[in-house]
Amino acid sequence: MLTTISLFFICSGFVIALIIANDLVQNRQSMKIMNVVWVLTALWASYLALWAYFKFGMEAAQQDDNKDMDMEADMKMDMSMKDMPMSMSMGNMNRPHWQSIALSALHCGAGCTLADIIGEWFTCYFPISIGGSMIIGNWVFDFILALIIGVYFQFYAIREMEKISVSAGLGRAFKADFFSLLSWQVGMYGWMAIVYFVIFRDIPLEKDTWTFWFMMQIAMLIGFVCAYPMNALLIRLGVKKGM
């Protein structure tokens, strides 16, 4: 029964990722990295990602298309946005605050998603052990990989909006991503600890099974719940910009 449920949600994630990717071909996001973020989010959030994308994720792309249809208004907007702070130039002027926080958290989560896909399959064939524990070794490897990818995603977004030096961009990206990523991973690892040491204590959970990846989908969802308040705090403190 659990295998069937796992298969359903994993396949749903792939199908919904394709649906969103197909729509993004016609309605590209103003911030290019978000095209990748939405597809990666769909892999674990499936139906929730589909709702979020068509509820408020696609709005930015649609608004950008409307701006392109009115060149005079677009030129005036460009002139006025030069004097705006970065948080106001990211397309969130008319977006509810909770949506801005959610998008910021999903931006962080996309790096975690890609890192976990790469890391889990890598350690499936090339196990990493720390202190005699392969689970801890795997988590440390995933965290480092997620931090590298997450900082790159943040750096890409910052450099897309501002022409600053590579060192300054990387410094800001690290500050914006580290605590958000840490809170996300705490949620993920907390759930996976329950999976390994409680739910599947007597039955080994192999990484090449549908059930394992369904557990990872749940872990990502819990990671998002943990990262949301952290992103709200980082935005309020000015460490991270709302999207």
Side-chain angles (χ1 to χ4, degrees), residues 14-229:
F14 279 111
V15 171
I16 291 170
L18 290 174
I19 292 172
I20 292 177
N22 181 67
D23 187 79
L24 286 169
V25 172
Q26 304 297 325
N27 300 300
R28 290 194 171 275
Q29 299 281 293
S30 57
M31 185 177 292
K32 295 178 183 178
I33 195 65
M34 290 304 296
N35 294 306
V36 178
V37 169
W38 278 113
V39 174
L40 289 173
T41 298
L43 293 177
W44 61 267
S46 61
Y47 297 101
L48 289 174
L50 188 66
W51 170 82
Y53 176 72
F54 285 104
K55 174 66 176 181
F56 58 87
M58 200 173 65
E59 284 184 352
Q62 291 174 336
Q63 288 169 1
D64 289 338
D65 291 340
N66 292 335
K67 290 178 186 176
D68 291 337
M69 294 174 63
D70 190 342
M71 296 301 296
E72 182 178 357
D74 189 50
M75 291 177 63
K76 292 180 180 179
M77 178 66 71
D78 289 340
M79 291 298 292
S80 63
M81 288 180 70
K82 290 181 180 179
D83 299 323
M84 289 183 179
M86 184 173 65
S87 61
M88 291 295 290
S89 64
M90 296 177 71
N92 67 341
M93 290 174 287
N94 298 317
R95 177 175 287 128
H97 187 55
W98 71 269
Q99 294 180 5
S100 180
I101 297 172
L103 287 174
S104 295
L106 291 177
H107 187 272
C108 167
C112 295
T113 303
L114 185 57
D116 287 328
I117 292 173
I118 296 172
E120 294 298 336
W121 281 113
F122 179 85
T123 54
C124 181
Y125 298 103
F126 303 97
I128 298 174
S129 177
I130 294 181
S133 173
M134 289 186 180
I135 292 178
I136 294 177
N138 183 79
W139 287 351
V140 170
F141 179 74
D142 284 354
F143 180 83
I144 294 173
L145 192 59
L147 184 60
I148 293 172
I149 296 175
V151 168
Y152 171 75
F153 277 15
Q154 288 288 344
F155 173 76
Y156 187 100
I158 291 171
R159 290 273 287 184
E160 188 176 350
M161 293 179 294
E162 295 183 65
K163 300 301 180 183
I164 60 176
S165 66
V166 173
S167 59
L170 286 174
R172 283 175 52 179
F174 182 84
K175 288 195 301 182
D177 191 69
F178 180 78
F179 289 105
S180 178
L181 171 67
L182 184 62
S183 61
W184 188 293
Q185 296 289 61
V186 165
M188 281 191 61
Y189 294 161
W191 167 251
M192 291 309 293
I194 294 173
V195 169
Y196 280 123
F197 302 121
V198 179
I199 301 176
F200 290 92
R201 181 181 58 185
D202 301 321
I203 306 174
L205 182 61
E206 302 297 334
K207 295 182 180 181
D208 57 354
T209 62
W210 297 109
T211 300
F212 173 83
W213 288 102
F214 177 53
M215 294 297 106
M216 287 293 291
Q217 282 185 321
I218 298 174
M220 293 297 290
L221 179 60
I222 296 174
F224 171 79
V225 172
C226 292
Y228 185 93

